[in-house]
PDB file of all heavy atoms in Angstrom:
ATOM      1  N   VAL A 183    -150.391-133.367  18.390  1.00  0.00           N
ATOM      2  CA  VAL A 183    -149.148-134.137  18.488  1.00  0.00           C
ATOM      3  C   VAL A 183    -149.067-135.225  17.414  1.00  0.00           C
ATOM      4  O   VAL A 183    -148.253-136.130  17.511  1.00  0.00           O
ATOM      5  CB  VAL A 183    -148.975-134.752  19.904  1.00  0.00           C
ATOM      6  CG1 VAL A 183    -148.785-133.667  20.943  1.00  0.00           C
ATOM      7  CG2 VAL A 183    -150.131-135.656  20.273  1.00  0.00           C
ATOM      8  N   THR A 184    -149.878-135.105  16.397  1.00  0.00           N
ATOM      9  CA  THR A 184    -149.918-136.107  15.331  1.00  0.00           C
ATOM     10  C   THR A 184    -148.568-136.241  14.643  1.00  0.00           C
ATOM     11  O   THR A 184    -148.050-137.349  14.477  1.00  0.00           O
ATOM     12  CB  THR A 184    -150.987-135.732  14.282  1.00  0.00           C
ATOM     13  OG1 THR A 184    -152.221-135.505  14.945  1.00  0.00           O
ATOM     14  CG2 THR A 184    -151.144-136.819  13.246  1.00  0.00           C
ATOM     15  N   LEU A 185    -147.976-135.129  14.246  1.00  0.00           N
ATOM     16  CA  LEU A 185    -146.700-135.158  13.543  1.00  0.00           C
ATOM     17  C   LEU A 185    -145.609-135.756  14.426  1.00  0.00           C
ATOM     18  O   LEU A 185    -144.817-136.584  13.972  1.00  0.00           O
ATOM     19  CB  LEU A 185    -146.303-133.758  13.075  1.00  0.00           C
ATOM     20  CG  LEU A 185    -144.978-133.651  12.333  1.00  0.00           C
ATOM     21  CD1 LEU A 185    -145.005-134.486  11.058  1.00  0.00           C
ATOM     22  CD2 LEU A 185    -144.676-132.200  12.009  1.00  0.00           C
ATOM     23  N   GLU A 186    -145.579-135.365  15.684  1.00  0.00           N
ATOM     24  CA  GLU A 186    -144.579-135.901  16.604  1.00  0.00           C
ATOM     25  C   GLU A 186    -144.686-137.418  16.699  1.00  0.00           C
ATOM     26  O   GLU A 186    -143.680-138.116  16.685  1.00  0.00           O
ATOM     27  CB  GLU A 186    -144.748-135.280  17.995  1.00  0.00           C
ATOM     28  CG  GLU A 186    -144.443-133.805  18.037  1.00  0.00           C
ATOM     29  CD  GLU A 186    -144.866-133.163  19.348  1.00  0.00           C
ATOM     30  OE1 GLU A 186    -145.124-133.883  20.335  1.00  0.00           O
ATOM     31  OE2 GLU A 186    -144.944-131.922  19.375  1.00  0.00           O
ATOM     32  N   GLU A 187    -145.902-137.914  16.806  1.00  0.00           N
ATOM     33  CA  GLU A 187    -146.108-139.356  16.917  1.00  0.00           C
ATOM     34  C   GLU A 187    -145.671-140.078  15.638  1.00  0.00           C
ATOM     35  O   GLU A 187    -145.029-141.118  15.691  1.00  0.00           O
ATOM     36  CB  GLU A 187    -147.571-139.657  17.217  1.00  0.00           C
ATOM     37  CG  GLU A 187    -147.825-141.134  17.435  1.00  0.00           C
ATOM     38  CD  GLU A 187    -149.257-141.426  17.773  1.00  0.00           C
ATOM     39  OE1 GLU A 187    -150.082-141.522  16.836  1.00  0.00           O
ATOM     40  OE2 GLU A 187    -149.551-141.578  18.958  1.00  0.00           O
ATOM     41  N   ARG A 188    -146.021-139.514  14.491  1.00  0.00           N
ATOM     42  CA  ARG A 188    -145.633-140.148  13.222  1.00  0.00           C
ATOM     43  C   ARG A 188    -144.114-140.159  13.045  1.00  0.00           C
ATOM     44  O   ARG A 188    -143.541-141.148  12.593  1.00  0.00           O
ATOM     45  CB  ARG A 188    -146.305-139.427  12.054  1.00  0.00           C
ATOM     46  CG  ARG A 188    -147.784-139.693  11.991  1.00  0.00           C
ATOM     47  CD  ARG A 188    -148.461-138.981  10.845  1.00  0.00           C
ATOM     48  NE  ARG A 188    -149.900-139.215  10.911  1.00  0.00           N
ATOM     49  CZ  ARG A 188    -150.789-138.487  10.282  1.00  0.00           C
ATOM     50  NH1 ARG A 188    -150.408-137.475   9.522  1.00  0.00           N
ATOM     51  NH2 ARG A 188    -152.067-138.753  10.395  1.00  0.00           N
ATOM     52  N   LEU A 189    -143.461-139.057  13.403  1.00  0.00           N
ATOM     53  CA  LEU A 189    -141.998-139.012  13.300  1.00  0.00           C
ATOM     54  C   LEU A 189    -141.357-139.996  14.272  1.00  0.00           C
ATOM     55  O   LEU A 189    -140.366-140.653  13.923  1.00  0.00           O
ATOM     56  CB  LEU A 189    -141.488-137.593  13.567  1.00  0.00           C
ATOM     57  CG  LEU A 189    -141.747-136.576  12.471  1.00  0.00           C
ATOM     58  CD1 LEU A 189    -141.314-135.178  12.917  1.00  0.00           C
ATOM     59  CD2 LEU A 189    -141.028-136.967  11.181  1.00  0.00           C
ATOM     60  N   GLN A 190    -141.897-140.117  15.464  1.00  0.00           N
ATOM     61  CA  GLN A 190    -141.356-141.049  16.435  1.00  0.00           C
ATOM     62  C   GLN A 190    -141.445-142.481  15.904  1.00  0.00           C
ATOM     63  O   GLN A 190    -140.495-143.257  16.009  1.00  0.00           O
ATOM     64  CB  GLN A 190    -142.100-140.934  17.763  1.00  0.00           C
ATOM     65  CG  GLN A 190    -141.569-141.872  18.824  1.00  0.00           C
ATOM     66  CD  GLN A 190    -142.390-141.841  20.094  1.00  0.00           C
ATOM     67  OE1 GLN A 190    -143.561-141.483  20.080  1.00  0.00           O
ATOM     68  NE2 GLN A 190    -141.782-142.236  21.187  1.00  0.00           N
ATOM     69  N   LYS A 191    -142.581-142.843  15.312  1.00  0.00           N
ATOM     70  CA  LYS A 191    -142.739-144.184  14.730  1.00  0.00           C
ATOM     71  C   LYS A 191    -141.744-144.406  13.599  1.00  0.00           C
ATOM     72  O   LYS A 191    -141.151-145.473  13.476  1.00  0.00           O
ATOM     73  CB  LYS A 191    -144.167-144.381  14.220  1.00  0.00           C
ATOM     74  CG  LYS A 191    -145.179-144.590  15.315  1.00  0.00           C
ATOM     75  CD  LYS A 191    -146.578-144.771  14.739  1.00  0.00           C
ATOM     76  CE  LYS A 191    -147.605-144.894  15.845  1.00  0.00           C
ATOM     77  NZ  LYS A 191    -148.979-144.988  15.321  1.00  0.00           N
ATOM     78  N   LYS A 192    -141.565-143.390  12.752  1.00  0.00           N
ATOM     79  CA  LYS A 192    -140.632-143.495  11.629  1.00  0.00           C
ATOM     80  C   LYS A 192    -139.208-143.709  12.123  1.00  0.00           C
ATOM     81  O   LYS A 192    -138.506-144.607  11.659  1.00  0.00           O
ATOM     82  CB  LYS A 192    -140.708-142.225  10.776  1.00  0.00           C
ATOM     83  CG  LYS A 192    -139.711-142.187   9.651  1.00  0.00           C
ATOM     84  CD  LYS A 192    -139.741-140.855   8.938  1.00  0.00           C
ATOM     85  CE  LYS A 192    -138.589-140.742   7.975  1.00  0.00           C
ATOM     86  NZ  LYS A 192    -138.439-139.414   7.431  1.00  0.00           N
ATOM     87  N   TYR A 193    -138.790-142.898  13.100  1.00  0.00           N
ATOM     88  CA  TYR A 193    -137.422-142.999  13.612  1.00  0.00           C
ATOM     89  C   TYR A 193    -137.211-144.314  14.359  1.00  0.00           C
ATOM     90  O   TYR A 193    -136.138-144.909  14.288  1.00  0.00           O
ATOM     91  CB  TYR A 193    -137.078-141.811  14.501  1.00  0.00           C
ATOM     92  CG  TYR A 193    -137.028-140.509  13.741  1.00  0.00           C
ATOM     93  CD1 TYR A 193    -137.488-139.334  14.319  1.00  0.00           C
ATOM     94  CD2 TYR A 193    -136.543-140.433  12.432  1.00  0.00           C
ATOM     95  CE1 TYR A 193    -137.460-138.134  13.620  1.00  0.00           C
ATOM     96  CE2 TYR A 193    -136.520-139.250  11.733  1.00  0.00           C
ATOM     97  CZ  TYR A 193    -136.968-138.101  12.333  1.00  0.00           C
ATOM     98  OH  TYR A 193    -136.939-136.916  11.642  1.00  0.00           O
ATOM     99  N   ARG A 194    -138.233-144.782  15.066  1.00  0.00           N
ATOM    100  CA  ARG A 194    -138.112-146.059  15.764  1.00  0.00           C
ATOM    101  C   ARG A 194    -137.952-147.203  14.753  1.00  0.00           C
ATOM    102  O   ARG A 194    -137.146-148.101  14.948  1.00  0.00           O
ATOM    103  CB  ARG A 194    -139.332-146.312  16.648  1.00  0.00           C
ATOM    104  CG  ARG A 194    -139.234-147.621  17.402  1.00  0.00           C
ATOM    105  CD  ARG A 194    -140.021-147.697  18.673  1.00  0.00           C
ATOM    106  NE  ARG A 194    -139.931-146.595  19.577  1.00  0.00           N
ATOM    107  CZ  ARG A 194    -138.930-146.371  20.425  1.00  0.00           C
ATOM    108  NH1 ARG A 194    -137.896-147.173  20.425  1.00  0.00           N
ATOM    109  NH2 ARG A 194    -138.969-145.354  21.256  1.00  0.00           N
ATOM    110  N   ALA A 195    -138.702-147.165  13.659  1.00  0.00           N
ATOM    111  CA  ALA A 195    -138.585-148.200  12.619  1.00  0.00           C
ATOM    112  C   ALA A 195    -137.190-148.173  11.999  1.00  0.00           C
ATOM    113  O   ALA A 195    -136.587-149.228  11.763  1.00  0.00           O
ATOM    114  CB  ALA A 195    -139.655-148.002  11.552  1.00  0.00           C
ATOM    115  N   GLU A 196    -136.663-146.968  11.734  1.00  0.00           N
ATOM    116  CA  GLU A 196    -135.312-146.864  11.183  1.00  0.00           C
ATOM    117  C   GLU A 196    -134.277-147.401  12.164  1.00  0.00           C
ATOM    118  O   GLU A 196    -133.334-148.086  11.764  1.00  0.00           O
ATOM    119  CB  GLU A 196    -134.997-145.406  10.833  1.00  0.00           C
ATOM    120  CG  GLU A 196    -135.743-144.889   9.633  1.00  0.00           C
ATOM    121  CD  GLU A 196    -135.488-143.419   9.364  1.00  0.00           C
ATOM    122  OE1 GLU A 196    -134.703-142.774  10.094  1.00  0.00           O
ATOM    123  OE2 GLU A 196    -136.088-142.892   8.407  1.00  0.00           O
ATOM    124  N   LEU A 197    -134.444-147.100  13.438  1.00  0.00           N
ATOM    125  CA  LEU A 197    -133.523-147.584  14.462  1.00  0.00           C
ATOM    126  C   LEU A 197    -133.560-149.102  14.551  1.00  0.00           C
ATOM    127  O   LEU A 197    -132.502-149.754  14.605  1.00  0.00           O
ATOM    128  CB  LEU A 197    -133.872-146.964  15.818  1.00  0.00           C
ATOM    129  CG  LEU A 197    -133.031-147.415  17.009  1.00  0.00           C
ATOM    130  CD1 LEU A 197    -131.568-147.008  16.809  1.00  0.00           C
ATOM    131  CD2 LEU A 197    -133.572-146.811  18.291  1.00  0.00           C
ATOM    132  N   GLU A 198    -134.760-149.677  14.523  1.00  0.00           N
ATOM    133  CA  GLU A 198    -134.877-151.133  14.568  1.00  0.00           C
ATOM    134  C   GLU A 198    -134.242-151.779  13.350  1.00  0.00           C
ATOM    135  O   GLU A 198    -133.606-152.831  13.454  1.00  0.00           O
ATOM    136  CB  GLU A 198    -136.348-151.531  14.692  1.00  0.00           C
ATOM    137  CG  GLU A 198    -136.942-151.227  16.047  1.00  0.00           C
ATOM    138  CD  GLU A 198    -138.442-151.458  16.121  1.00  0.00           C
ATOM    139  OE1 GLU A 198    -139.047-151.888  15.112  1.00  0.00           O
ATOM    140  OE2 GLU A 198    -139.012-151.183  17.200  1.00  0.00           O
ATOM    141  N   GLN A 199    -134.382-151.146  12.186  1.00  0.00           N
ATOM    142  CA  GLN A 199    -133.771-151.680  10.974  1.00  0.00           C
ATOM    143  C   GLN A 199    -132.250-151.643  11.092  1.00  0.00           C
ATOM    144  O   GLN A 199    -131.571-152.614  10.762  1.00  0.00           O
ATOM    145  CB  GLN A 199    -134.223-150.878   9.752  1.00  0.00           C
ATOM    146  CG  GLN A 199    -133.691-151.416   8.448  1.00  0.00           C
ATOM    147  CD  GLN A 199    -134.142-150.582   7.256  1.00  0.00           C
ATOM    148  OE1 GLN A 199    -134.400-149.391   7.403  1.00  0.00           O
ATOM    149  NE2 GLN A 199    -134.226-151.207   6.103  1.00  0.00           N
ATOM    150  N   LYS A 200    -131.698-150.555  11.592  1.00  0.00           N
ATOM    151  CA  LYS A 200    -130.249-150.447  11.766  1.00  0.00           C
ATOM    152  C   LYS A 200    -129.745-151.448  12.792  1.00  0.00           C
ATOM    153  O   LYS A 200    -128.682-152.046  12.613  1.00  0.00           O
ATOM    154  CB  LYS A 200    -129.872-149.019  12.166  1.00  0.00           C
ATOM    155  CG  LYS A 200    -130.009-148.040  11.036  1.00  0.00           C
ATOM    156  CD  LYS A 200    -129.676-146.629  11.463  1.00  0.00           C
ATOM    157  CE  LYS A 200    -129.900-145.661  10.304  1.00  0.00           C
ATOM    158  NZ  LYS A 200    -129.661-144.278  10.670  1.00  0.00           N
ATOM    159  N   GLU A 201    -130.508-151.649  13.850  1.00  0.00           N
ATOM    160  CA  GLU A 201    -130.113-152.625  14.863  1.00  0.00           C
ATOM    161  C   GLU A 201    -130.091-154.027  14.278  1.00  0.00           C
ATOM    162  O   GLU A 201    -129.217-154.830  14.603  1.00  0.00           O
ATOM    163  CB  GLU A 201    -131.050-152.554  16.067  1.00  0.00           C
ATOM    164  CG  GLU A 201    -130.820-151.346  16.939  1.00  0.00           C
ATOM    165  CD  GLU A 201    -131.826-151.208  18.068  1.00  0.00           C
ATOM    166  OE1 GLU A 201    -132.868-151.908  18.057  1.00  0.00           O
ATOM    167  OE2 GLU A 201    -131.576-150.379  18.963  1.00  0.00           O
ATOM    168  N   SER A 202    -131.036-154.348  13.380  1.00  0.00           N
ATOM    169  CA  SER A 202    -131.038-155.675  12.761  1.00  0.00           C
ATOM    170  C   SER A 202    -129.836-155.833  11.829  1.00  0.00           C
ATOM    171  O   SER A 202    -129.239-156.909  11.761  1.00  0.00           O
ATOM    172  CB  SER A 202    -132.342-155.934  12.018  1.00  0.00           C
ATOM    173  OG  SER A 202    -132.410-155.211  10.816  1.00  0.00           O
ATOM    174  N   TYR A 203    -129.449-154.759  11.132  1.00  0.00           N
ATOM    175  CA  TYR A 203    -128.250-154.806  10.295  1.00  0.00           C
ATOM    176  C   TYR A 203    -127.006-155.043  11.154  1.00  0.00           C
ATOM    177  O   TYR A 203    -126.116-155.819  10.779  1.00  0.00           O
ATOM    178  CB  TYR A 203    -128.066-153.505   9.506  1.00  0.00           C
ATOM    179  CG  TYR A 203    -129.070-153.297   8.396  1.00  0.00           C
ATOM    180  CD1 TYR A 203    -129.450-152.017   8.021  1.00  0.00           C
ATOM    181  CD2 TYR A 203    -129.636-154.363   7.712  1.00  0.00           C
ATOM    182  CE1 TYR A 203    -130.357-151.800   6.999  1.00  0.00           C
ATOM    183  CE2 TYR A 203    -130.546-154.159   6.690  1.00  0.00           C
ATOM    184  CZ  TYR A 203    -130.909-152.877   6.340  1.00  0.00           C
ATOM    185  OH  TYR A 203    -131.815-152.665   5.330  1.00  0.00           O
TER     186      TYR A 203
END
Side-chain angles (χ1 to χ4, degrees):
V183 294
T184 307
L185 180 61
E186 293 169 16
E187 184 178 83
R188 289 180 184 162
L189 287 174
Q190 181 185 24
K191 286 180 184 177
K192 176 186 170 190
Y193 294 143
R194 181 155 314 281
E196 288 176 1
L197 178 63
E198 289 173 1
Q199 183 181 27
K200 288 178 183 177
E201 286 175 347
S202 74
Y203 289 150

